Amino acid sequence: MKPKLYRVDWIDAFSDGGWKKISDLPKHMEPITIQTVGWLIHEDKDYYTYAQNLSNNDKYSDTMSIPKKWIKKRTRL
């Protein structure tokens, strides 16, 4: 049975890489909303796991587990 496809809007941490003087560092960075589309391949009480790619021979790649409490909205496609 083929997993169901979802669009997931979720909150992720914002980071700013690179070396900077402390005076040049941002004082506050807001988390950002990410939109991910993938096939739901696993769910437990805390996480959803999605695969972003599906091949013609039913193999999946690029899996990602997103904590349920980070998710703002899920839409079945």
Side-chain angles (χ1 to χ4, degrees), residues 11-55:
I11 300 295
D12 197 7
F14 181 90
S15 64
D16 182 18
W19 291 98
K20 296 180 179 128
K21 293 181 182 179
I22 197 162
S23 60
D24 295 331
L25 294 173
K27 298 196 179 0
H28 180 70
M29 294 184 290
E30 290 289 325
I32 57 176
T33 300
I34 305 296
Q35 295 175 345
T36 298
V37 174
W39 284 269
L40 179 63
I41 58 170
H42 180 75
E43 176 183 355
D44 64 26
K45 70 180 185 69
D46 297 317
Y47 295 90
Y48 292 111
T49 301
Y50 297 93
Q52 293 178 326
N53 298 303
L54 167 62
S55 71

Side-chain angles (χ1 to χ4, degrees), residues 56-74:
N56 64 346
N57 61 352
D58 291 328
K59 292 187 180 178
Y60 294 85
S61 71
D62 297 313
T63 57
M64 174 188 297
S65 290
I66 303 172
K68 287 183 175 180
K69 60 186 169 183
W70 293 6
I71 294 175
K72 296 176 76 174
K73 181 179 178 183
R74 281 187 345 134

